Amino acid sequence: MAANTNLGLIRWLTFLMFTMFAMTTDAVGVIIPEIIKEFNLSLTQAGAFHYASMAAIALSGILFGFLADKLGRKRTIIIGLGLFALACLLFSLGNQFEVFVVLLVISGCAIGIFKTGALALIGDISTSSQNHTRTMNLVEGFFGVGAIIGPAIVAYLLAAQVSWKYLYIFAGFLSLVLLTTAALVKYPQPKAQQTESIDLKRTFKMLGNPYALGFSAAIGLYVATEVAIYVWMPSLLKTYTGSVVWLATYALSIFFVLRAAGRFLGHWVLTRFSWTLVMMCFSGAIFLCFLGSIAFGVSCAVFLLPLSGLFMSMIYPTLNSKGINCFPKHEHGTIAGVILFFTAISAAVGPLLMGIIGDLFGAVNYGFYLAAGFAGLLWVAMIYNHLKDPAQARLAEIDQGEYGSQV
């Protein structure tokens, strides 16, 4: 009974950690227009609210991802949550743009630490690689819930003429609650099968692994496409003057709702359809949404860009799960850090390039040409993945060795 209780608490702790940090990272699209007015910034400058935390998450993932394997999941999660709480609560003392950027860097480092610990923990509590993939979709579904709550809180604060900073303060207090829970829960112990030291050298060695690079590249293309929506779509749709202004107003919320709903649905879909087929079909639908938005302008983008959230829903958690499951459980923290590095770098560089293009040509819509290119490349990659399935043998081998079952 105690083991079952701990397992249930661990699952909910993981769900709530993803919900919490999504509240802050995915609310930037709503915050950016406010700080542009508040500090008189350009698109590129204001985008630092996104770039700073994503760059920090990337560096943290690659530099500290191995901590989950070396120190254990529990200690790593506690360290990350404590640092995140400190950074968020310090927002209450800041009034300068540069100070906020520094705090975002600290919070990004914290996210990289506790997220790799949480991702490794998912492997410890999974019973098969298929179960791992379904659990990852469920976890990312809660991330999607946080992505809905965060912008909603900011919108409420702004409507009440209260500073957006209180979003971070709230997240800081929530992080302290989760830290306390993490400290009290007993964690499962992964099998210790290490044949080499757990350090940065092993991390950099993993960078040369074709499975790590292949899944990281695919995830990078996806993330560059996704962040275009929640960073720059609110700015793009501010130019909409058609008959469904309400849809433009709530477009980001609709996108996040569809993305979250799709991830919870993914727990069911992936038991009935091949994951490679789902990835190919959904990535193709995303590309068509972006292509239609470019071809027919903002009057079409107001429908198609929010709709893309439904098709984006299962791609990241599924690719992330498959990439992690190409490695044994005692390396899950390290590989999660490697994939997180490419994820966050893409999340930082993609919107940055879109902001630069928007400033160069004088309108944010030009940046969406680049995002459409990322979506097209992702579709091509997923077509190849479905036709060739290059990871099939590796996933079957790891599944048999780690879980005692076939994929």
Side-chain angles (χ1 to χ4, degrees), residues 323-347:
I324 290 173
N325 271 297
C326 282
F327 297 84
K329 287 185 179 182
H330 67 269
E331 294 183 340
H332 277 195
T334 305
I335 182 57
V338 170
I339 293 176
L340 183 59
F341 170 76
F342 287 96
T343 299
I345 283 292
S346 183

Side-chain angles (χ1 to χ4, degrees), residues 81-382:
L81 288 175
L83 191 59
F84 184 79
L86 176 64
C88 287
L89 292 174
L90 285 176
F91 266 83
S92 62
L93 303 178
N95 286 303
Q96 293 180 309
F97 178 70
E98 293 78 10
V99 172
F100 295 144
V101 171
V102 170
L103 292 177
L104 287 170
V105 169
I106 296 172
S107 69
C109 287
I111 290 170
I113 292 171
F114 75 69
K115 185 176 180 181
T116 51
L119 290 173
L121 187 59
I122 291 172
D124 297 342
I125 64 176
S126 297
T127 57
S128 70
S129 64
Q130 290 181 337
N131 176 256
H132 186 281
T133 301
R134 292 193 295 270
T135 301
M136 192 74 83
N137 272 272
L138 192 58
V139 167
E140 290 290 344
F142 280 90
F143 178 94
V145 171
I148 297 167
I149 295 173
I153 291 175
V154 174
Y156 175 79
L157 292 172
L158 295 177
Q161 298 185 324
V162 177
S163 174
W164 49 266
K165 293 192 297 181
Y166 283 93
L167 169 69
Y168 292 91
I169 296 169
F170 173 71
F173 280 111
L174 180 56
S175 183
L176 290 176
V177 173
L178 295 180
L179 187 155
T180 303
T181 305
L184 296 175
V185 173
K186 184 177 180 181
Y187 290 62
Q189 296 298 317
K191 293 183 292 184
Q193 297 179 348
Q194 295 91 336
T195 58
E196 56 183 320
S197 59
I198 303 173
D199 51 25
L200 272 177
K201 183 178 179 181
R202 187 182 73 157
T203 301
F204 289 123
K205 181 180 178 181
M206 194 175 285
L207 284 171
N209 184 285
Y211 297 107
L213 287 178
F215 279 102
S216 293
I219 288 171
L221 288 171
Y222 164 75
V223 170
T225 306
E226 182 197 63
V227 295
I229 299 291
Y230 67 79
V231 174
W232 293 124
M233 183 178 69
S235 299
L236 174 69
L237 297 186
K238 278 186 176 295
T239 63
Y240 179 77
T241 57
S243 59
V244 285
V245 174
W246 65 269
L247 183 57
T249 302
Y250 296 103
L252 187 60
S253 296
I254 293 170
F255 169 81
F256 285 139
V257 167
L258 291 175
R259 191 182 66 172
R263 284 175 175 171
F264 286 115
L265 186 63
H267 195 270
W268 175 84
V269 170
L270 292 168
T271 63
R272 289 161 174 78
F273 300 96
S274 161
W275 73 272
T276 61
L277 176 64
V278 173
M279 296 300 97
M280 181 181 70
C281 293
F282 279 28
S283 61
I286 294 167
F287 176 60
L288 292 177
C289 286
F290 275 79
L291 199 62
S293 298
I294 290 173
F296 301 106
V298 71
S299 61
C300 233
V302 73
F303 295 100
L304 292 178
L305 292 182
L307 177 63
S308 70
L310 182 62
F311 306 119
M312 290 186 184
S313 57
M314 299 178 208
I315 293 181
Y316 178 77
T318 301
L319 292 179
N320 199 15
S321 171
K322 298 304 181 184
I324 290 173
N325 271 297
C326 282
F327 297 84
K329 287 185 179 182
H330 67 269
E331 294 183 340
H332 277 195
T334 305
I335 182 57
V338 170
I339 293 176
L340 183 59
F341 170 76
F342 287 96
T343 299
I345 283 292
S346 183
V349 173
L352 173 61
L353 293 176
M354 289 180 67
I356 291 172
I357 292 172
D359 284 334
L360 185 63
F361 290 96
V364 71
N365 62 293
Y366 289 101
F368 279 84
Y369 285 80
L370 179 63
F374 291 138
L377 289 173
L378 175 65
W379 188 25
V380 171
M382 292 301 97

Side-chain angles (χ1 to χ4, degrees), residues 67-82:
L67 292 179
D69 298 329
K70 188 177 184 67
L71 300 180
R73 313 327 190 195
K74 182 172 186 173
R75 290 181 182 176
T76 303
I77 288 172
I78 289 173
I79 291 170
L81 288 175

